[in-house]
């Protein structure tokens, strides 16, 4: 077995369902400690976070990843058990094979190899791992670690997260930004009553419908060169379950996936003004789970593009699609952030897998990025 296949397989065997790290970080920490890294375990609540550093001063280059995985779903639907790494047809199968235990293993090996070859590199080389990326809350993972970094004055110049960014082959897509996510919970009040007595009731669905139609039809912005336009989606909960009762309240949840052409403040102000214009009696709660970010064409993007060209033999394409990731917490520290990892076609699915060909070159790809930024 090759070192990367060996380590990825060992990580897949750990049943690390969010927020349980299940021993993954201890495995990585032991290796990096032997390689000369300073190890710090930052446990917050139920979440394990690992911070391993080598060297000191600027620039600070951080490789970022998560050891937790999403549930496998019914194990019987898998061709081989999800937590038993299995090789078939040139691929390694198992939950987390692509998202993102191969990435975690590759980053750890790259860091080991890099400091062995360049023990006196300039700046700081670090690995940050969390066990709370896939869960719904994301409170005690990278978000909390970043709060700790702010308190300590720990800065980050460059951050590469090994999330599966590629579309058809390793390196074809480098994610350089993400849209923000802003959710709202609207409660529109009416008057509950019998459907046969319309003069005694005020149906909040009827009252809110024109406002919702206008919200759904609004073009919030035009997007920009880097991002598609902001999108808006609604889901509705109302009624008592009985057909003869007009509900007294309508609960509407909605979500903006917004680009850098809009701000969360602006979207909130516009939404509330629209609801008021329609005369609704309402209460509205907001939750901003991630602000958009964009890494401009600077030293990090140039190093990543050069590494992909050298190691994978292709020109990478910059992209800002997909959902949110932990990169959203790192970017506000002022860091340049990109996501680069294996093909994402199978992530979160039954029979998740990674190609052995991409797996074998992943560590070299990350190592080359370190060489280009920290010397070597
Ligand atoms: Zn992931």
């Amino acid at each position: 077995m090759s070192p990367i296949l060996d380590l990825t397989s060992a990580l897949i065997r750990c049943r690390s369902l969010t927020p349980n790290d299940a021993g993954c970080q201890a495995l990585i920490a032991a290796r990096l400690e032997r390689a000369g890294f300073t190890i710090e375990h930052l446990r917050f609540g139920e979440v394990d976070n690992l911070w391993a550093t080598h060297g000191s001063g600027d620039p600070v280059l951080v490789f970022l990843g998560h050891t937790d995985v999403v549930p496998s779903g019914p194990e019987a639907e898998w061709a081989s058990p999800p937590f038993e790494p299995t090789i078939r047809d040139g691929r390694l199968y198992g939950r987390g094979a692509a998202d993102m235990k191969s990435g975690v293993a590759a980053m750890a090996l790259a860091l080991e190899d890099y400091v062995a070859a360049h023990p006196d590199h300039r700046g700081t080389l670090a690995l940050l791992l969390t066990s709370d990326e896939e869960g719904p809350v994301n409170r005690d993972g990278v978000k909390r670690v970043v709060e700790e970094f702010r308190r300590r004055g720990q800065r980050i110049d460059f951050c590469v997260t090994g999330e599966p960014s590629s579309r058809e082959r390793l390196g074809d897509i480098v994610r350089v930004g993400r849209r923000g996510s802003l959710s709202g919970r609207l409660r529109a009040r009416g008057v509950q009553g019998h459907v046969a007595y319309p003069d005694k009731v005020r149906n909040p669905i009827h009252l809110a419908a024109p406002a919702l139609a206008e919200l759904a039809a609004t073009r919030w912005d035009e997007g920009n060169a880097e991002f598609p336009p902001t999108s808006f989606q609604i889901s509705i909960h109302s009624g008592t379950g009985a057909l003869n009762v007009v509900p007294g309240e309508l609960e509407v949840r909605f979500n903006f996936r917004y680009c850098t052409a809009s701000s969360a403040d602006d979207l909130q102000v516009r939404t509330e003004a629209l609801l008021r214009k329609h005369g609704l009696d309402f209460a509205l709660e907001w939750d901003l789970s991630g602000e958009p970010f964009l890494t401009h064409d600077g030293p990090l993007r140039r190093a990543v593009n050069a590494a992909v060209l050298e190691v994978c033999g292709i020109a990478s394409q910059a992209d800002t699609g997909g959902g949110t990731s932990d990169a959203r917490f790192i970017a506000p520290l002022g860091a340049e952030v990109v996501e680069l990892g294996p093909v994402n076609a199978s992530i979160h699915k039954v029979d998740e897998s990674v190609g052995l060909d991409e797996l074998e070159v992943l560590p070299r790809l990350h190592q080359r990025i370190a060489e280009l930024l920290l010397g070597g």
Side-chain angles (χ1 to χ4, degrees):
M1 261 203 184
S2 69
I4 180 68
L5 188 53
D6 207 20
L7 184 53
T8 306
S9 300
L11 293 173
I12 290 174
R13 276 191 202 96
C14 305
R15 288 181 170 261
S16 53
L17 300 173
T18 315
N20 188 2
D21 166 70
C24 295
Q25 290 177 25
L27 215 109
I28 302 289
R31 297 187 67 122
L32 290 182
E33 193 161 30
R34 277 198 301 277
F37 280 74
T38 302
I39 302 295
E40 200 180 345
H41 296 280
L42 297 165
R43 186 172 166 91
F44 299 115
E46 295 182 296
V47 175
D48 287 308
N49 303 286
L50 174 68
W51 175 236
T53 60
H54 191 275
S56 62
D58 301 337
V60 180
L61 168 61
V62 176
F63 286 86
L64 170 68
H66 62 86
T67 51
D68 59 320
V69 294
V70 295
S72 63
E75 295 204 9
E77 289 182 15
W78 287 64
S80 53
F83 297 99
E84 186 48 55
T86 306
I87 295 173
R88 288 194 300 280
D89 309 325
R91 304 189 70 78
L92 173 65
Y93 287 83
R95 174 55 84 223
D99 187 9
M100 61 168 286
K101 288 179 169 174
S102 51
V104 169
M107 294 188 296
L109 292 178
L111 267 58
E112 272 180 36
D113 288 348
Y114 177 77
V115 301
H118 311 285
D120 301 315
H121 63 83
R122 67 194 186 96
T124 307
L125 179 61
L127 180 67
L128 174 59
L129 297 178
T130 185
S131 64
D132 180 28
E133 200 274 339
E134 299 286 10
V137 185
N138 299 145
R139 185 190 58 228
D140 292 323
V142 173
K143 183 178 185 200
R144 191 64 196 279
V145 171
V146 164
E147 286 168 16
E148 175 65 17
F149 283 176
R150 284 188 196 280
R151 202 182 57 76
R152 295 179 185 184
Q154 172 68 57
R155 44 191 301 277
I156 295 176
D157 296 288
F158 308 119
C159 176
V160 176
T161 168
E163 290 277 10
S165 64
S166 300
R167 189 174 294 150
E168 278 160 14
R169 54 175 296 193
L170 178 62
D172 60 358
I173 300 286
V174 175
R175 231 176 275 294
V176 299
R178 293 271 190 169
R179 290 176 297 174
S181 177
L182 172 67
S183 297
R185 177 169 175 248
L186 166 73
R187 276 171 301 155
R189 285 175 286 262
V191 176
Q192 182 176 327
H194 195 296
V195 291
Y197 300 89
D199 52 322
K200 299 265 190 340
V201 301
R202 280 168 54 80
N203 186 326
I205 301 176
H206 295 192
L207 296 170
L212 298 182
E214 190 174 338
L215 285 171
T218 298
R219 186 133 178 114
W220 298 92
D221 56 49
E222 299 300 323
N224 51 34
E226 310 278 356
F227 286 96
T230 292
S231 71
F232 174 85
Q233 294 295 329
I234 294 176
S235 63
I236 285 183
H237 309 272
S238 191
T240 62
L243 290 176
N244 58 355
V245 179
V246 171
E249 189 174 284
L250 166 67
E251 184 181 322
V252 177
R253 288 176 186 243
F254 51 81
N255 178 265
F256 288 100
R257 288 300 158 108
Y258 71 101
C259 70
T260 49
S262 290
S263 72
D265 280 346
D266 179 49
L267 294 172
Q268 292 179 25
V269 167
R270 290 169 67 191
T271 302
E272 287 173 20
L274 192 154
L275 294 171
R276 268 196 297 276
K277 185 184 82 183
H278 283 269
L280 291 184
D281 177 12
F282 69 94
L284 186 51
E285 292 164 29
W286 291 101
D287 177 38
L288 176 59
S289 60
E291 293 183 56
F293 70 88
L294 179 67
T295 295
H296 291 282
D297 202 3
L300 180 61
R301 276 178 64 167
R302 284 197 290 276
V304 168
N305 289 343
V308 169
L309 193 58
E310 263 178 61
V311 177
C312 307
I314 56 173
S316 62
Q317 192 188 323
D319 179 273
T320 58
T324 61
S325 84
D326 276 342
R328 74 192 135 137
F329 301 122
I330 301 290
L333 285 173
E336 295 181 22
V337 186
V338 302
E339 302 178 25
L340 173 64
V343 172
N344 57 26
S346 69
I347 63 170
H348 295 209
K349 293 183 182 170
V350 161
D351 291 333
E352 179 177 349
S353 68
V354 63
L356 296 181
D357 51 347
E358 27 173 2
L359 189 62
E360 292 298 333
V361 298
L362 258 185
R364 180 73 200 121
L365 184 57
H366 292 310
Q367 193 182 335
R368 189 64 193 134
I369 294 169
E371 288 168 0
L372 290 167
L373 289 166
L374 301 184

